[in-house]
Amino acid sequence: MSFFVQQHSIVFLKGFITLFLSCIIATRFNFCLSNSNIPFSFKTLPLEGHLSFDETTLNKASTDFGNRYQYHPVAVLHPNSVSDIATTIKHIWNMGPSSHLTVAARGHGHSLQGQSQTHGGVVIKMESLKQHEMQVHVGNFPPYVDVSGGELWINILHETLRYGLAPRSWTDYLHLTVGGTLSNAGVSGQAFKHGPQISNVQQLQIVIGTGEVVDCSEVKNEELFHSVLGGLGQFGIITQARILLEEAPSMVKWIRVLYSDFEAFTRDQERLISQDNAFDYIEGFVIINRTGLLNNWRSSFNPQDPVQASHFNSDGKTLFCLELAKYINFQHIDIVNQEVERHLSDLNYIQSTLFVTEVTYVEFLDRVHVSEMKLRSKGLWDVPHPWLNLFIPKSKIHSFAQVVFGNILTQTSNGPVLIYPVNKSKWGNRSSVVIPDEDIFYLVAFLTSAVPCSNGSDGLEHILSQNKRILEYCERENLGVKQYLPHYNTQEEWRDHFGTQWEAFRQRKLVYDPFAILAPGQRIFQKTITTSSL
């Protein structure tokens, strides 16, 4: 009897497995069959540019600077015009909710965790968008430049300098697209003075999730305007932007000083960002267990007192570097030098560590690109970059530093650790960016690079574990920290991130991208597929 039952069970199990596999195969066949029609339907679209389906192009579009995630699209759009983008999105919109297709706008591919990728969807190569040449408008106050959403900031710098002008706010790295940085915030050492890049935009042109092209500004379609700025690509693709400009300096006086006392370091930073016209750029970074530091600077910076500097010894201590820049026009150079001396005399840095250099404006702003070229030559650029960027309230920065720099991050970081304060008043209060609810908050950025195949402290797993410990500490102690360039895997985590802004964010998504076609790589909203698609 038991033998019969056993045989019957085996037969039943085999039948069940066969049926189960048949269902999987049928489902996959139907999915593949529907996907096989995608290239054909796209080939009928009236485009000025073109769609690519070749494996090399698709592979490139499935990677990014983070070098950790890889999602393959089915096509890459190289748009020649805004209408190409609108036509493609409209085509997918017309397919309705039964289509699996989504769209990801890709700038220079500098996203960290697959945010510019889409699995089985369409990647739009924004750098191909060259419909409008840059137009610099000098007869207005303030002056401005109209640029494509796919334009690189380094190109904008060079073009505006021809008119003696330049954008007011930057990121530390200029080889990024306008649409990419405006979809996040765009933060650097000028943010304390001018706010992030999203605070220096007058108007935008957007292609929303239905394929409609919409112009927006502070006074026209203002809800869309503010939603898109810092909106992580959820409400539309930025195809054109009007960027505010200021007079560009001739030279930059670039200064570095060191602190061993974190309280003195932050006190001086906070004092400087509250003063008018003290410096034009204020950042800082953390130096852990480093020796010979000043010797590394000697090739480009001059010590104010060479004798004192030669006697400086870090003794492996954790040090804090204050990095300052003052913009110079030649006709005012003597006055600027006097002002710099006066402001420096009020600071409490280690006197022997004052290092100064003077460089051109382009050399200063494009300084990270020089480091990139060196790393590329050594094969150390295209590696995993498990970066962690945090906004930390001023009231919690000392607790954070004590635990993180004192206990968690105890060895030299494989990349810079930035730390500097900004004024909340310069950010506005209507964009989609989530920031701490204090007048001053700090950006702390762990810009690490992982050594491939390493199992040590410079390996990917160790760095990710370290990042996790930092985030767990922030959550456990309820520090009110918010991630910049955020990444979460569940909508519940995103809801916590946005807090009281979540419901408004969700409602805007329903208005401007109701089928959740755009920016799937952010993993905030998932496209709902009806059963008719199977």
Side-chain angles (χ1 to χ4, degrees):
M1 183 70 174
S2 60
F3 173 79
F4 174 80
V5 172
Q6 185 178 14
Q7 290 297 309
H8 181 75
S9 299
I10 292 173
V11 171
F12 174 81
L13 184 60
K14 285 182 178 179
F16 176 80
I17 291 173
T18 301
L19 179 62
F20 179 71
L21 290 176
S22 298
C23 291
I24 292 177
I25 292 170
T27 300
R28 288 183 176 176
F29 174 78
N30 287 334
F31 177 73
C32 293
L33 184 63
S34 62
N35 273 334
S36 68
N37 293 327
I38 291 170
F40 177 78
S41 67
F42 280 175
K43 287 175 183 176
T44 65
L45 295 179
L47 301 176
E48 297 174 41
H50 67 281
L51 283 155
S52 294
F53 305 98
D54 64 278
E55 198 63 25
T56 300
T57 303
L58 300 184
N59 283 338
K60 187 174 182 180
S62 67
T63 61
D64 59 23
F65 178 71
N67 220 347
R68 293 173 51 209
Y69 294 83
Q70 192 169 19
Y71 299 103
H72 272 73
V74 296
V76 174
L77 174 66
H78 303 260
N80 274 3
S81 65
V82 174
S83 66
D84 284 351
I85 298 174
T87 297
T88 302
I89 294 176
K90 185 71 171 179
H91 180 69
I92 296 172
W93 161 260
N94 286 334
M95 289 180 174
S98 63
S99 166
H100 292 79
L101 290 174
T102 54
V103 173
R106 176 186 173 90
H108 207 52
H110 210 263
S111 59
L112 297 171
Q113 294 166 312
Q115 289 95 333
S116 62
Q117 300 174 30
T118 170
H119 176 64
V122 179
V123 168
I124 300 178
K125 184 174 172 56
M126 295 301 295
E127 286 182 272
S128 298
L129 183 60
K130 302 294 184 183
Q131 183 180 25
H132 301 289
E133 295 295 324
M134 275 186 273
Q135 296 290 327
V136 180
H137 299 264
V138 298
N140 301 271
F141 186 80
Y144 60 85
V145 58
D146 289 325
V147 299
S148 163
E151 192 62 78
L152 296 180
W153 285 99
I154 183 65
N155 297 335
I156 298 172
L157 173 62
H158 287 302
E159 177 64 19
T160 54
L161 282 177
R162 294 175 56 227
Y163 300 84
L165 301 168
R168 307 191 295 195
S169 188
W170 299 95
T171 54
D172 286 333
Y173 181 64
L174 304 189
H175 295 253
L176 305 172
T177 58
V178 168
T181 64
L182 295 184
S183 294
N184 289 282
V187 187
S188 185
Q190 304 87 2
F192 79 95
K193 186 175 184 179
H194 294 297
Q197 290 180 320
I198 59 172
S199 296
N200 294 274
V201 183
Q202 270 194 338
Q203 65 183 49
L204 299 167
Q205 182 187 70
I206 309 294
V207 180
I208 62 175
T210 61
E212 182 183 355
V213 181
V214 183
D215 293 324
C216 55
S217 67
E218 288 272 7
V219 295
K220 181 181 180 182
N221 298 312
E222 61 269 24
E223 183 180 55
L224 177 61
F225 178 74
H226 293 291
S227 299
V228 167
L229 294 172
L232 304 176
Q234 293 303 302
F235 312 113
I237 295 176
I238 298 172
T239 51
Q240 193 168 353
R242 177 165 291 177
I243 310 298
L244 297 176
L245 305 175
E246 66 176 357
E247 182 181 355
S250 306
M251 297 289 290
V252 175
K253 184 178 283 290
W254 189 6
I255 301 162
R256 284 177 176 171
V257 294
L258 293 179
Y259 293 74
S260 58
D261 184 337
F262 185 73
E263 185 174 346
F265 170 68
T266 55
R267 185 171 57 247
D268 281 354
Q269 280 191 317
E270 291 166 15
R271 178 192 303 164
L272 288 173
I273 70 167
S274 66
Q275 295 175 345
D276 292 332
N277 301 318
F279 290 94
D280 298 289
Y281 164 98
I282 299 172
E283 283 196 10
F285 54 92
V286 185
I287 304 156
I288 299 175
N289 292 336
R290 289 282 296 278
T291 58
L293 178 70
L294 299 189
N295 287 330
N296 293 336
W297 290 351
R298 288 180 190 276
S299 60
S300 53
F301 286 81
N302 298 313
Q304 190 81 355
D305 189 326
V307 175
Q308 283 194 52
S310 66
H311 294 304
F312 174 77
N313 191 334
S314 67
D315 296 324
K317 297 177 182 176
T318 296
L319 298 173
F320 307 94
C321 177
L322 176 59
E323 189 167 31
L324 307 167
K326 184 68 175 178
Y327 299 162
I328 304 172
N329 286 311
F330 289 126
Q331 63 268 34
H332 301 133
I333 189 167
D334 291 336
I335 296 174
V336 168
N337 285 333
Q338 292 173 12
E339 289 178 348
V340 169
E341 291 287 341
R342 177 169 57 84
H343 288 299
L344 288 175
S345 66
D346 294 332
L347 304 181
N348 295 293
Y349 58 89
I350 302 169
Q351 292 299 310
S352 61
T353 65
L354 174 58
F355 275 64
V356 182
T357 190
E358 289 185 8
V359 295
T360 67
Y361 192 45
V362 172
E363 285 175 318
F364 174 69
L365 290 178
D366 203 28
R367 61 198 179 279
V368 176
H369 186 58
V370 176
S371 300
E372 176 191 350
M373 293 299 98
K374 292 178 181 177
L375 290 171
R376 283 191 182 278
S377 68
K378 299 176 181 178
L380 298 176
W381 184 256
D382 295 321
V383 298
H385 295 96
W387 287 7
L388 178 63
N389 299 272
L390 304 174
F391 290 142
I392 302 174
K394 168 188 168 182
S395 64
K396 304 297 183 181
I397 194 63
H398 292 276
S399 301
F400 178 90
Q402 184 176 12
V403 172
V404 174
F405 304 139
N407 296 314
I408 298 177
L409 195 67
T410 56
Q411 300 180 20
T412 299
S413 175
N414 202 37
V417 179
L418 305 183
I419 176 169
Y420 57 92
V422 293
N423 295 309
K424 182 180 179 181
S425 61
K426 303 293 184 179
W427 286 63
N429 57 8
R430 298 186 63 187
S431 77
S432 293
V433 177
V434 181
I435 57 178
D437 191 19
E438 289 191 9
D439 292 339
I440 293 176
F441 59 92
Y442 278 76
L443 171 68
V444 180
F446 302 87
L447 309 182
T448 49
S449 299
V451 176
C453 303
S454 172
N455 294 319
S457 60
D458 56 0
L460 179 60
E461 291 307 316
H462 177 85
I463 297 170
L464 289 175
S465 175
Q466 191 169 259
N467 289 349
K468 183 180 179 183
R469 288 180 63 194
I470 293 170
L471 290 172
E472 287 176 345
Y473 159 70
C474 293
E475 184 175 358
R476 184 171 64 250
E477 298 301 319
N478 195 27
L479 298 187
V481 170
K482 293 296 182 182
Q483 284 195 46
Y484 176 54
L485 309 178
H487 169 78
Y488 299 102
N489 290 313
T490 68
Q491 195 171 90
E492 185 64 34
E493 291 173 309
W494 280 110
R495 189 180 291 112
D496 290 342
H497 170 76
F498 282 102
T500 57
Q501 294 176 232
W502 169 252
E503 190 55 33
F505 193 86
R506 189 183 70 84
Q507 288 295 332
R508 289 169 179 173
K509 182 70 171 180
L510 291 174
V511 172
Y512 300 116
D513 183 25
F515 287 171
I517 290 171
L518 303 175
Q522 295 285 1
R523 303 175 187 86
I524 304 176
F525 301 98
Q526 185 175 359
K527 188 174 184 182
T528 302
I529 312 299
T530 61
T531 54
S532 62
S533 65
L534 296 179

